[in-house]
Amino acid sequence: MTPGTARRALAAAITTVLAATALAVAPAATAVPRPGTAPAASATTATATASASASATEDPALSLVGTSLGPVVRLTAPREDTFLSWTLSRSAADWTVELTHRQTGLKQSWRARQPGSIVQFGWSGDLTSWQYGPGVRAPGGDYSWRLTAKPQDGVGPDLDTSGTFRLTRDTHPRDFSDNGSPDLLFRDFQGGLTAKDTFYDGRVSEVAPAGSSPLGSGWEYYPQLEAVGDVAGTDAGDLIGIDRVGYLWLFQGTGRPGVSPRVKVGRGWEVYDRLAGGSDLTGDGRADLVAVDKTGDLWLYKSTGNPDAPFAPRRKTGFGWNIYDKLIATGNIGGAPAGDLLARDRNGVLWLYLGKGDGTFAPRARVGAGWNQYTHIVGIGDATLDGTPDLYAIGPYNTVYTYSGTGDWHTPFRTRKTTKVLADLPLQHVEKIF
C-alpha cells in the first residue's frame, strides 16, 4: 500500500467511528407540533397528570351543607309535626340527632339507618324517652342540637357537628311551665300552691299527669285566686288574687315553673264573689276576665296586655247571675267567634253562654244535668291537643274525668274519660283546684 492510500484508509475509519459515537449520544427527536395543537406529553408527565386527576375526584370528608333550623323554631299547631332537616355533602349510612333543653337538660334523640344525604324528620314537640314515662312536652327556651353521621362508603371520618336554636310556641292560657300543655293548680289548707303539669298520651288517648311544681306558700291570704291566661303581655299564663281587704294582685307567669312577685293592680274587688278568666271574650287575642258581684251583676274586664294596668275599666254585661254557684271560662268550645262561659245553677244544670266577640253572650243553651256531682270543674284548655278546649272535673271518691271539647255548641263535649291527673291527691287536704 502506498503512503497516500494508507492515509485515505485511516481517515475513512476515523470518520466511521465519529459517526457511530454521535448517533449513540444524540437526544431523542421532538416532534414539532402543528399549528393549533398542544405538544405531546411525555410518559412521566401523563402519569403525574392522571394521579392529580384521581386525587381531585376523591370523596371529601362528610360535612354539613345546611339546615332548616334557624335561630328560632316555633311550634304552633298541636298534634302537627314541625319538620327539621339537615343537608349533608354526600350520603351517610346512619345518623343520630339529639336535642337538649339547655336549662333543664331534657333530651330527645332520633336515630336512623337509611342511606341518603338529607337527614329529616317531624317533631311534635314531645320529649318521649324511657326516663320521662309517657312523655313530657318540650319546654320553650334555648336548645342545642348535635348531629353525628357515618359516611355510607366508609371513606373518611364520621361527621360530628352541632348548633343552637330557641324554641317558642303560641301562648296557652293555663301553661305555667311554657311547654304547651295546660297545668292544673291546687291550693292546700295550709296555703301551699302547686302546679300540676299534664301530658296527652296519644298511645291510649288519655290526659296523663306529668311533673309537679311548687309555687310557694302564703296563698291562703287570697280568698279568691284565678288563672286568667296572658293578661300582662308575656308568653305565659298569669294569676290574679283578691286579698281579704279587696286589693287585686297580679302574679305574672315567667315561662317556667313559678310566678313573678305580686303587683297591686286594683282595689275594691271585695264586692265580687265569683271570678272566671282565660276566655278571649272580645276577640282581640287576649284572655279577658268576668266577675259576678254579690247582687248578681256580671261585669267584663277586658285585658290590656299592660302589666301595670292589665284590665280596662269594667263594663256591665248581665244581671241575675247569682242563680249560679259556679262559673267556668272555657275558651272557644262552641265554634262561635270568641271565647265562651259555662255556668252551673244550684240544681246542677250546666249552661253554655256562647261569646259573640264583643264581651256579650248569646242566650244560654242547656248542656246537661247532674253536674253537681263534681266538687271541682276547671276549664283546663286544650289538654287533648286537638285544637278545642276541654273540661276537667273531680267527683266523689277521687273520680277524675276529662270532657274533650267538640267545637259544636249543640253538643260541646264528648263522653267523659277517666284521667289519673290529681287522682292520687288526698282531697281532704285540698281547698281549691283551678
Side-chain angles (χ1 to χ4, degrees), residues 319-346:
F319 59 90
W321 285 69
N322 47 3
I323 66 172
Y324 301 116
D325 65 0
K326 182 70 176 175
L327 288 183
I328 307 108
T330 59
N332 188 348
I333 61 171
D340 308 315
L341 280 182
L342 290 172
R344 184 182 65 183
D345 67 27
R346 301 184 189 280

Side-chain angles (χ1 to χ4, degrees), residues 82-381:
T82 296
F83 281 91
L84 312 180
S85 66
W86 293 258
T87 301
L88 308 182
S89 60
R90 56 193 178 94
S91 185
D94 57 76
W95 51 262
T96 299
V97 171
E98 183 176 75
L99 306 182
T100 303
H101 186 235
R102 301 176 74 173
Q103 180 182 350
T104 63
L106 292 170
K107 298 178 183 293
Q108 175 71 48
S109 61
W110 294 262
R111 294 177 175 85
R113 291 183 176 275
Q114 52 186 32
S117 61
I118 296 180
V119 174
Q120 179 174 278
F121 52 85
W123 185 33
S124 65
D126 292 344
L127 304 176
T128 53
S129 55
W130 62 269
Q131 67 263 44
Y132 308 140
V136 296
R137 296 287 287 167
D142 293 328
Y143 280 75
S144 61
W145 58 263
R146 181 183 180 190
L147 166 64
T148 58
K150 293 181 177 297
Q152 182 182 359
D153 55 11
V155 176
D158 293 353
L159 171 66
D160 191 337
T161 186
S162 60
T164 61
F165 66 92
R166 183 168 183 81
L167 179 68
T168 65
R169 51 165 47 87
D170 291 343
T171 301
H172 193 295
R174 297 192 60 86
D175 180 12
F176 293 93
S177 49
D178 190 27
N179 64 359
S181 62
D183 303 328
L184 284 167
L185 303 177
F186 65 92
R187 180 173 63 188
D188 60 37
F189 283 101
Q190 288 72 45
L193 188 65
T194 302
K196 183 67 175 179
D197 199 6
T198 64
F199 176 81
Y200 183 70
D201 188 351
R203 300 171 303 176
V204 293
S205 300
E206 180 180 300
V207 179
S212 296
S213 303
L215 300 183
S217 58
W219 293 91
E220 74 279 7
Y221 186 67
Y222 307 97
Q224 294 196 69
L225 277 175
E226 183 71 6
V228 292
D230 174 24
V231 298
T234 64
D235 286 332
D238 305 319
L239 290 178
I240 60 167
I242 301 175
D243 67 20
R244 300 186 194 283
V245 297
Y247 288 128
L248 179 69
W249 299 89
L250 171 67
F251 301 85
Q252 279 190 260
T254 61
R256 55 188 181 275
V259 291
S260 297
R262 68 179 189 174
V263 175
K264 187 166 67 174
V265 292
R267 60 189 303 172
W269 284 68
E270 71 278 4
V271 300
Y272 302 117
D273 57 10
R274 272 155 295 164
L275 304 173
S279 275
D280 175 16
L281 303 175
T282 56
D284 61 358
R286 290 192 296 266
D288 304 306
L289 177 69
V290 292
V292 177
D293 65 25
K294 294 175 182 178
T295 67
D297 289 339
L298 181 70
W299 300 88
L300 169 70
Y301 285 88
K302 177 181 168 66
S303 68
T304 65
N306 180 356
D308 298 319
F311 300 109
R314 69 178 188 173
R315 176 161 62 95
K316 184 176 177 178
T317 56
F319 59 90
W321 285 69
N322 47 3
I323 66 172
Y324 301 116
D325 65 0
K326 182 70 176 175
L327 288 183
I328 307 108
T330 59
N332 188 348
I333 61 171
D340 308 315
L341 280 182
L342 290 172
R344 184 182 65 183
D345 67 27
R346 301 184 189 280
N347 295 319
V349 178
L350 191 66
W351 300 89
L352 170 64
Y353 284 85
L354 276 176
K356 293 181 178 180
D358 61 357
T360 65
F361 304 96
R364 69 180 188 175
R366 180 184 169 110
V367 175
W371 286 77
N372 50 357
Q373 66 180 293
Y374 298 120
T375 55
H376 301 84
I377 304 173
V378 180
I380 192 175

Side-chain angles (χ1 to χ4, degrees), residues 19-91:
T21 303
L23 181 62
V25 300
T30 302
V32 177
R34 294 188 302 275
T37 65
S42 68
T44 303
T45 304
T47 302
T49 302
S51 176
S53 176
S55 176
T57 59
E58 280 185 6
D59 287 330
L62 182 63
S63 61
L64 177 67
V65 175
T67 176
S68 67
L69 275 72
V72 177
V73 173
R74 187 169 185 83
L75 301 178
T76 53
R79 293 198 194 179
E80 290 187 10
D81 287 348
T82 296
F83 281 91
L84 312 180
S85 66
W86 293 258
T87 301
L88 308 182
S89 60
R90 56 193 178 94
S91 185

